[in-house]
Amino acid sequence: MPTVLVTGAGAGIGRATALYFQQQGWNVVAGVRRPESATGFEGLDHCLCLPLDVNVQDTIDRAIAQTMDYFGGLDVLVNNAGFGTFGAFEYSTEEQILQQFQTNVFGVMRMTRSVLPHFRAKRQGMIINISSVGGRLAFPLYSLYHATKFAIEGFSESLQYELAPFHIQVKLIEPGAMKTDFFQRSQVVLQHPTLHSYDDYQSKVWQKLQAIEANAPSPDLVAKVIWQAANDKTDRLRYSVGDQVPLLLFLNRLIPHSWLRSMIKSTF
Ligand SMILES: NC(=O)c1ccc[n+]([C@@H]2O[C@H](COP(=O)([O-])OP(=O)(O)OC[C@H]3O[C@@H](n4cnc5c(N)ncnc54)[C@H](OP(=O)(O)O)[C@@H]3O)[C@@H](O)[C@H]2O)c1
């Protein structure tokens, strides 16, 4: 039975993915930042729920060592842990910028560096990075978030060349809006103590986003696409998923970019 390790499995897409792979019979390591509030994994067969903060190397090392001890190896890493920072760039602090990159980019790199020696030694493995439609296209007031997801796209696309000779595959999942904690509890909203020049625009876009989130599909949809990516035995790199996402990405290739930006501008 193959083994998958999912980061950020305490909620949303990560939780749905860990549970879906478990239901399909895989050995699952659900890496969670706050084990005390992770639910749904108790008593499940071939499933380990382990503390894992992608920003703390020690927790990564321990989770990988426990995975090796318990399941005897690792086949697929799903780099899912991440969050969004919403708001005008000028409102952001140095710390907020660093934090966004710490988790969404350096967390993915830390995890990847930590599993590569194992994958390379057995000349087999797969790294599935959860990017976003926002790794290909940018929407208003998410400049920091988009910067991280564009980074993940470039990182993954380049990495797959050097890993191919070792039979290690890299995949990118590009979801659109999903109904998770992403737009709620997990979102960092930028505000400034004295500057308010962007407040009106920010609250208009925020309301629009809440409406989009209210009608967004369940993260189970993404879990199934991640499962497909792990199993389809092709060297396909990108998998988009979600309402309008394939259409948007198709338009992105087809029509002049200025038209697409006008469409996005009028939506928000
Ligand atoms: N939802 C969407 O619309 C959407 C669309 C495109 C892409 N994505 C991407 O999908 C991924 C998952 O997001 P989601 O929608 O499932 O959001 P979510 O419901 O907020 O879940 C994110 C999970 O990541 C965990 N996490 C955050 N920082 C972490 C860290 N340093 N170490 C370990 N775990 C950490 C959170 O832990 P806690 O529970 O402890 O907070 C949470 O369990 C993200 O990479 C996001 O960018 C989401």
Side-chain angles (χ1 to χ4, degrees):
M1 227 183 281
T3 300
V4 62
L5 188 162
V6 184
T7 68
I13 293 170
R15 182 174 181 278
T17 302
L19 292 173
Y20 191 74
F21 274 72
Q22 192 276 339
Q23 285 155 17
Q24 305 307 312
W26 279 49
N27 297 324
V28 171
V29 181
V32 300
R33 182 163 58 166
R34 295 171 302 125
E36 67 285 359
S37 53
T39 57
F41 301 111
E42 312 83 359
L44 289 184
D45 289 338
H46 49 89
C47 181
L48 266 187
C49 183
L50 298 177
L52 201 174
D53 184 327
V54 298
N55 295 330
V56 183
Q57 185 67 46
D58 189 42
T59 69
I60 297 174
D61 294 341
R62 265 185 282 138
I64 292 173
Q66 281 177 268
T67 302
M68 298 301 163
D69 280 355
Y70 196 78
F71 290 125
L74 178 66
D75 300 283
V76 176
L77 166 67
V78 180
N79 277 317
N80 163 78
F83 70 95
T85 301
F86 170 80
F89 175 71
E90 203 178 343
Y91 289 174
S92 64
T93 63
E94 175 89 7
E95 200 190 334
Q96 285 165 327
I97 297 170
L98 292 177
Q99 200 51 48
Q100 181 71 101
F101 276 82
Q102 267 301 342
T103 301
N104 290 17
V105 180
F106 305 138
V108 170
M109 292 180 177
R110 244 176 244 121
M111 288 299 307
T112 302
R113 266 163 53 92
S114 304
V115 301
L116 278 180
H118 303 281
F119 286 175
R120 202 171 26 75
K122 64 175 186 167
R123 298 182 71 79
Q124 180 249 323
M126 186 184 287
I127 297 161
I128 303 181
N129 291 333
I130 311 306
S131 173
S132 167
V133 62
R136 309 276 295 281
L137 282 174
F139 302 97
L141 296 174
Y142 274 110
S143 57
L144 294 180
Y145 179 69
H146 286 300
T148 65
K149 293 299 183 183
F150 273 60
I152 287 303
E153 293 272 335
F155 171 63
S156 308
E157 188 171 322
S158 177
L159 193 65
Q160 46 103 27
Y161 293 111
E162 75 210 42
L163 297 184
F166 302 100
H167 308 286
I168 302 167
Q169 285 188 289
V170 181
K171 306 264 178 185
L172 278 161
I173 311 294
E174 300 169 332
M178 296 290 146
K179 211 173 186 48
T180 66
D181 292 344
F182 181 87
F183 291 103
Q184 307 294 338
R185 170 184 71 89
S186 304
Q187 193 105 150
V188 170
V189 179
L190 300 175
Q191 280 163 335
H192 196 277
T194 53
L195 176 63
H196 300 290
S197 308
Y198 306 90
D199 286 7
D200 288 348
Y201 184 45
Q202 201 158 305
S203 65
K204 227 167 74 188
V205 174
W206 182 250
Q207 278 166 27
K208 181 77 195 172
L209 287 171
Q210 296 302 308
I212 291 172
E213 193 259 356
N215 297 308
S218 145
D220 295 343
L221 192 67
V222 186
K224 287 180 185 152
V225 172
I226 297 172
W227 163 261
Q228 182 203 338
N231 287 283
D232 69 10
K233 307 223 184 307
T234 70
D235 65 354
R236 182 173 162 190
L237 174 63
R238 292 185 164 87
Y239 299 73
S240 58
V241 46
D243 290 345
Q244 317 276 338
V245 174
L247 174 68
L248 254 179
L249 292 178
F250 179 66
L251 289 177
N252 190 31
R253 284 200 304 272
L254 207 68
I255 66 175
H257 206 254
S258 58
W259 295 6
L260 196 70
R261 289 203 310 278
S262 297
M263 277 170 53
I264 292 172
K265 206 168 165 185
S266 65
T267 305
F268 292 97

